[in-house]
Amino acid sequence: MRALRRFTVRASLPEPLSALSTLATNLRWTWHPPTQELFASIDSRVWSEVGGDPLRLLSVVDAGKLEALARDEQFLLRLHALASDLERYVEGPRWYQRRQDEIAQRREHGATNDTPLPTSVAYFSMEFGVHEALPNYSGGLGILAGDHLKAASDLGVPLIAVGLLYRSGYFRQSLSLDGWQQEHYPSLDPRGLPLELLTEPSGLPLLVHVAMPGDRMLRAKIWRARVGRVPLLLLDSDVEQNDEDLRGVTDRLYGGDQNHRIRQEILAGIGGVRAVRTFCELTGHPQPEVFHTNEGHAGFLGLERIREYITNDGLDFDQALTAARAGAVFTTHTPVPAGIDRFPVDLVQHYFGAEQLVPGVNTQRILALGAEDNPGMFNMAHMGLRLAQRANGVSKLHGEVSRDMFRGLWPGFDATEVPIGSVTNGVHGPTWAATEMSKLLGASEADNHNSSLGLGSFQPVTDAGLWELRSTLRGRLVTEVRRRLRESWLQRGASALELGWTDSVFDPGVLTVGFARRVPTYKRLTLMLRDPERLRSLLLHPERPVQLVVAGKSHPADDGGKALIQQIVRYADDAGVRHRIVFLPDYDMSMARYLYWGCDVWLNNPMRPLEACGTSGMKAALNGGLNLSIRDGWWDELYDGSNGWAIPTADGVNDPIRRDDLEANALYELLGSQVAPLFYDRGEDGVPTRWMSMVRHTLASLGPVVQASRMVREYVETYYAPAAASAQNVVGEGFRGAKELSSYRHRLRASWTRVRVLDSDLVLGGSSVPVLGAPVIVRARVELAGLEPSEVDVQVVLGKVSNDSDELKDVVTAPMTYTGNGNYEAEVPLPHAGALGYTVRVLPRHGLLASPAELGRVVLAS
């Protein structure tokens, strides 16, 4: 018989053990080994069977064992010590609070350069990968968001995180007998997860309400996960009062058609802001000053904030837009236009046209925020950028790619001037570094100003000791590979009697290469198969063999990605190589840890520059793994020639087949002639000294900078603090700043088409021959069309020009001084030798703008 419905009953703990519930429901245990060790000590066998999940452990462990532990004084001492430690961690001051105190003290002594830190920041993401015990993620975006929360907690950043709770999470992956990906959607009961339901004083669930077309209402419950100090609010549409189709809005992550998708994004953005307001009113948590949108999915949150200003504060749309933008940060993870969420304009009008969803916000203004070149489509990234005064990519290279990709929103500006910066992603060290590696290197929980792997005790570790640990971690991976491979074959329909060969798959002493990630085309899962025989020769080399572990999921609707997986699986099924190459299905965080711990080399071969960041190689580096990667994403800026290998790219080759052939050949060459020989070059003690030198250098050079704590500090100092200051400047004194800036924008709109540079000339200063560094004087006459000189910046722009083009390159800009009657002048040293050119331009100027390009307005001399 099948169960009609499933539900979870939590264990009833003896009163002396009540603190176990607190420890189990605060996800800090996921990166706190002492807490994990406490739960494992309750019953090590059950702990292993439940995958290291405390709540599941407490629900299935023998009640008699719990009763015995309730009388065990040693256990109770450990329990109370850990409970007290968690309380100190959650309540006590950390980096952020100490930084606030430092700034306050300096300001008391007259310092004005330090910007006060915000009292609260809201962080929105469509997925959060905190731990497999809360399966609310699909891939890198969610893992990054989870690491962001953990690092924010460790640093004391007052973050409130917001997302959706998916009743089936992301899919579980298995393989058919012929190697085709199959999807399975588990049914998750929130009461069996480390979550608590937010309720009214009456005990009824608190509900968020979002208007739907046809006078219908979408309701959502709010579940809270405790990620250390950070509350994570997850909205759940499985509410009895909802119509059946609306109950299913939060059924699956990235599932359904565009109609389903836009409902999810409306709930995440608009419902998410309402959930934050409700949570803060309920708990007394400060209302956020800054709203950070992690990718465009939750971008509708900006519309709800505009509605709040219009409804609650009586602002008009432009004033409300100014106020909302000031405190908004938008992070894009997308390096190609095809990766951006876009909806048909008709669909957006269907949900917003009646102006019931965000009352008072004009639908045509909403559509303008998402406008793109195709008038029939609404672009979520464009809306995110237009609704945020500050935006960033997720690596230096991705920042460059983003500035070029979105430059159309700032016409007339050079790509380098587009106001999109970058914060290179990081990973949460305590989560991803093996416990043994952390202990060996003296790592500790991120808290200090330089929170990272503690390399202070690194030098005394001998090569032999470090090599022994690396070999132990590799051996642990081999054991896990064998277990998972056997399970996979059983799922594919094989008999246990024919799977004896899985017991000898992989070798703990062989160079182990890992490749694990999502399977979109640009990541090139099958680049390693361009020359199957050459790969076979590397795997089976008699003196220097390589073993390769591959994992990854393709989106359920992506048959092309599934075909790539099938190619890998069929190759790995060959009896001649299956002991040296495996594909492991159902890639998730639990598998990932073994891969990052045990792989000697982490392979990444995307099509440059389509990898926004790609943090998996960072996690391997924290464990002494060496990267073998195309110079894309984070690796482009952090590769230094000694911490791994850069696969050469065939830049300028437009034929994708030819490019793949060239880059695959470079990959084979590096593996065969450099990587493998170095790994097997052993001294008399069996230790590969030169290899270990690279491992040491990787740990020392990358350990501090790939940390999520470094990333979050950058967000705090470069984005959150300035955004909070901007927000205060526009909302203070009865929204004086918002009204002034809105009025200024109206004046610009009325005058800008008539602003012109009437004429200009350049005069050599004191010499008839221009010499590098010599001053020149540039004069210009400008028609301001009613604007005041104080409301514009007039600049001279000098740069190189080529023989066949007057396009300026390597430009240098300098402000021009107003000399009266529309005249401007500047003295500028010549910045380059060779052929130069210049122009004059006019830009808006206002003290509340974050950059001269912010409004996308510029007048160039013609």
Side-chain angles (χ1 to χ4, degrees):
M1 291 183 292
R2 294 177 61 86
L4 177 64
R5 185 180 175 190
R6 56 189 300 160
F7 56 94
T8 302
V9 179
R10 290 196 176 180
S12 177
L13 294 171
E15 194 282 329
L17 301 182
S18 60
L20 284 175
S21 179
T22 302
L23 293 176
T25 53
N26 190 311
L27 287 159
R28 188 230 194 177
W29 67 260
T30 66
W31 71 93
H32 193 244
T35 304
Q36 296 171 14
E37 291 162 5
L38 177 79
F39 282 109
S41 72
I42 293 174
D43 189 317
S44 58
R45 179 187 59 80
V46 174
W47 176 252
S48 178
E49 289 175 355
V50 300
D53 182 340
L55 280 180
R56 291 181 61 198
L57 170 80
L58 295 177
S59 68
V60 300
V61 73
D62 182 71
K65 184 159 288 189
L66 293 177
E67 291 290 348
L69 288 173
R71 299 186 298 271
D72 185 331
E73 292 187 7
Q74 288 300 114
F75 183 86
L76 293 177
L77 282 173
R78 291 175 64 196
L79 172 60
H80 295 149
L82 286 170
S84 297
D85 179 70
L86 176 60
E87 183 179 2
R88 287 191 299 273
Y89 171 86
V90 169
E91 301 294 340
R94 303 187 74 76
W95 170 81
Y96 195 86
Q97 289 69 37
R98 292 193 289 271
R99 184 89 176 101
Q100 285 179 313
D101 291 343
E102 292 169 5
I103 291 172
Q105 289 173 10
R106 283 199 290 268
R107 290 175 69 87
E108 284 178 6
H109 289 85
T112 57
N113 293 331
D114 290 323
T115 304
L117 303 183
T119 57
S120 180
V121 176
Y123 179 86
F124 287 67
S125 182
M126 209 63 170
E127 51 177 300
F128 289 92
V130 179
H131 190 269
E132 60 270 23
L134 184 60
N136 221 52
Y137 62 95
S138 70
L141 179 72
I143 303 301
L144 179 277
D147 282 4
H148 194 109
L149 303 195
K150 295 173 188 176
S153 175
D154 289 340
L155 293 167
V157 180
L159 216 64
I160 304 173
V162 188
L164 302 181
L165 178 68
Y166 305 99
R167 286 301 181 110
S168 295
Y170 201 49
F171 70 90
R172 303 294 302 273
Q173 178 196 48
S174 63
L175 300 172
S176 67
L177 189 59
D178 66 350
W180 192 256
Q181 172 179 292
Q182 297 179 320
E183 297 93 28
H184 312 274
Y185 290 90
S187 179
L188 302 174
D189 178 4
R191 297 189 184 278
L193 302 175
L195 300 170
E196 56 189 301
L197 185 65
L198 296 189
T199 60
E200 304 271 10
S202 65
L204 293 174
L206 277 167
L207 295 179
V208 165
H209 296 78
V210 177
M212 290 283 109
D215 293 324
R216 297 200 299 162
M217 188 64 67
L218 169 60
R219 303 164 182 86
K221 293 180 284 193
I222 309 170
W223 297 89
R224 172 170 60 175
R226 298 177 186 267
V227 186
R229 301 168 68 107
V230 173
L232 167 57
L233 309 180
L234 299 173
L235 277 65
D236 174 12
S237 68
D238 188 16
V239 176
E240 288 185 7
Q241 299 98 305
N242 281 337
D243 293 341
E244 192 60 33
D245 62 322
L246 298 181
R247 285 189 76 165
V249 166
T250 58
D251 55 356
R252 296 177 181 178
L253 175 58
Y254 304 141
D257 57 15
Q258 282 200 304
N259 187 55
H260 187 266
R261 179 86 165 187
I262 197 172
R263 287 177 175 181
Q264 287 191 333
E265 300 193 1
I266 287 170
L267 180 59
I270 295 171
V273 173
R274 295 174 186 176
V276 168
R277 301 304 188 202
T278 300
F279 172 78
C280 291
E281 291 168 4
L282 179 71
T283 63
H285 193 289
Q287 292 284 354
E289 300 169 59
V290 175
F291 286 77
H292 183 180
T293 311
N294 188 42
E295 196 48 271
H297 311 120
F300 290 125
L301 74 89
L303 303 182
E304 171 64 6
R305 296 185 63 224
I306 290 172
R307 182 204 65 78
E308 290 179 329
Y309 287 125
I310 292 173
T311 303
N312 301 336
D313 301 294
L315 303 186
D316 64 28
F317 181 90
D318 289 313
Q319 294 166 349
L321 173 62
T322 299
R325 289 185 75 253
V329 177
F330 176 73
T331 296
T332 174
H333 296 257
T334 309
V336 289
I340 295 171
D341 268 5
R342 299 160 72 236
F343 296 110
V345 164
D346 291 346
L347 187 62
V348 179
Q349 285 180 316
H350 174 68
Y351 284 95
F352 289 90
E355 297 188 13
Q356 293 179 328
L357 180 54
V358 279
V361 183
N362 180 271
T363 305
Q364 293 307 310
R365 300 299 298 269
I366 293 173
L367 295 178
L369 290 169
E372 58 160 64
D373 290 341
N374 182 343
M377 298 301 292
F378 184 94
N379 189 304
M380 294 296 288
H382 287 194
M383 180 179 68
L385 290 165
R386 289 178 174 129
L387 284 174
Q389 195 174 42
R390 290 167 177 81
N392 68 283
V394 290
S395 68
K396 288 182 179 178
L397 178 59
H398 181 235
E400 295 175 17
V401 170
S402 298
R403 287 188 287 275
D404 187 63
M405 184 168 74
F406 293 114
R407 65 186 301 183
L409 298 183
W410 290 272
F413 288 92
D414 189 78
T416 59
E417 298 176 302
V418 169
I420 300 176
S422 66
V423 175
T424 301
N425 284 344
V427 299
H428 187 244
T431 292
W432 299 110
T435 301
E436 297 91 339
M437 185 65 72
S438 298
K439 289 179 178 177
L440 184 66
L441 302 182
S444 61
E445 189 177 84
D447 178 39
N448 302 317
H449 288 278
N450 59 344
S451 52
S452 62
L453 282 178
L455 300 177
S457 60
F458 177 68
Q459 293 302 327
V461 180
T462 65
D463 280 355
L466 194 54
W467 174 248
E468 181 180 6
L469 174 54
R470 290 291 315 139
S471 298
T472 298
L473 296 175
R474 190 186 316 109
R476 191 176 298 165
L477 171 60
V478 168
T479 300
E480 184 69 3
V481 164
R482 293 171 179 173
R483 183 186 72 80
R484 286 180 177 266
L485 187 65
R486 179 181 176 83
E487 283 187 2
S488 173
W489 273 102
L490 290 172
Q491 288 180 334
R492 293 172 70 180
S495 165
L497 294 175
E498 57 185 319
L499 294 179
W501 62 272
T502 61
D503 294 337
S504 57
V505 164
F506 274 32
D507 184 326
V510 167
L511 171 63
T512 304
V513 179
F515 182 100
R517 49 192 36 87
R518 290 185 303 111
V519 190
T521 304
Y522 78 87
K523 291 183 182 283
R524 298 194 294 187
L525 172 72
T526 55
L527 188 70
M528 61 188 75
L529 296 183
R530 296 299 291 184
D531 187 339
E533 287 306 311
R534 192 164 182 188
L535 177 59
R536 176 184 287 261
S537 68
L538 289 169
L539 298 173
L540 304 179
H541 194 285
E543 288 88 32
R544 299 187 299 273
V546 175
Q547 55 196 16
L548 183 59
V549 54
V550 184
K553 293 179 177 179
S554 175
H555 189 281
D558 182 7
D559 283 348
K562 294 179 187 180
L564 297 178
I565 290 174
Q566 187 178 50
Q567 289 180 44
I568 288 283
V569 172
R570 287 179 170 174
Y571 185 89
D573 283 351
D574 185 331
V577 296
R578 66 188 183 188
H579 62 300
R580 286 283 186 263
I581 179 171
V582 298
F583 180 90
L584 300 181
D586 208 25
Y587 179 49
D588 68 356
M589 294 179 75
S590 62
M591 181 195 298
R593 280 189 288 273
Y594 285 97
L595 298 177
Y596 301 141
W597 296 342
C599 286
D600 300 292
V601 172
W602 197 257
L603 174 62
N604 190 25
N605 46 235
M607 178 79 77
R608 189 178 191 273
L610 304 185
E611 182 81 273
C613 185
T615 57
S616 57
M618 295 178 170
K619 298 160 193 166
L622 287 180
N623 292 283
L626 305 181
N627 278 269
L628 171 62
S629 177
I630 295 286
R631 288 195 64 166
D632 202 1
W634 74 276
W635 189 235
D636 183 67
E637 67 194 76
L638 293 180
Y639 168 69
D640 67 6
S642 300
N643 53 10
W645 295 268
I647 303 170
T649 52
D651 296 331
V653 176
N654 295 321
D655 179 354
I657 295 176
R658 174 66 176 155
R659 180 168 180 166
D660 283 358
D661 286 340
L662 291 171
E663 294 182 6
N665 182 67
L667 167 61
Y668 297 138
E669 186 65 26
L670 276 172
L671 266 175
S673 66
Q674 295 189 37
V675 180
L678 193 69
F679 181 83
Y680 289 105
D681 179 18
R682 309 291 170 84
E684 293 183 1
D685 57 358
V687 176
T689 303
R690 291 193 300 149
W691 183 274
M692 296 315 298
S693 176
M694 290 186 71
V695 169
R696 284 178 174 276
H697 180 67
T698 290
L699 291 167
S701 65
L702 295 182
V705 293
V706 301
Q707 297 281 336
S709 53
R710 182 271 312 154
M711 172 188 73
V712 171
R713 284 197 304 273
E714 282 191 35
Y715 274 113
V716 167
E717 293 167 350
T718 310
Y719 288 88
Y720 295 168
S726 292
Q728 181 56 43
N729 287 337
V730 298
V731 303
E733 299 181 48
F735 294 92
R736 176 181 172 184
K739 293 172 182 177
E740 286 183 356
L741 185 52
S742 175
S743 175
Y744 172 69
R745 294 181 70 168
H746 278 291
R747 291 199 302 279
L748 280 185
R749 196 175 301 127
S751 301
W752 199 251
T753 56
R754 295 178 286 116
V755 173
R756 292 181 298 153
V757 178
L758 299 174
D759 57 57
S760 67
D761 64 0
L762 180 147
V763 180
L764 297 177
S767 172
S768 59
V769 179
V771 178
L772 178 65
V776 295
I777 297 172
V778 178
R779 298 188 179 96
R781 191 160 55 92
V782 179
E783 169 57 56
L784 294 181
L787 294 173
E788 295 296 324
S790 61
E791 295 181 311
V792 298
D793 272 327
V794 180
Q795 298 177 341
V796 58
V797 184
L798 292 93
K800 298 177 181 178
V801 292
S802 63
N803 292 332
D804 55 358
S805 171
D806 289 331
E807 192 71 24
L808 293 172
K809 298 180 180 178
D810 300 329
V811 300
V812 173
T813 62
M816 301 186 74
T817 301
Y818 183 64
T819 59
N821 297 320
N823 295 309
Y824 288 82
E825 183 175 301
E827 183 177 283
V828 189
L830 292 170
H832 307 292
L836 299 188
Y838 86 96
T839 190
V840 174
R841 68 181 184 179
V842 186
L843 302 169
R845 179 170 68 186
H846 193 284
L848 295 177
L849 296 178
S851 81
E854 181 178 329
L855 301 183
R857 294 185 181 276
V858 60
V859 172
L860 298 171
S862 59

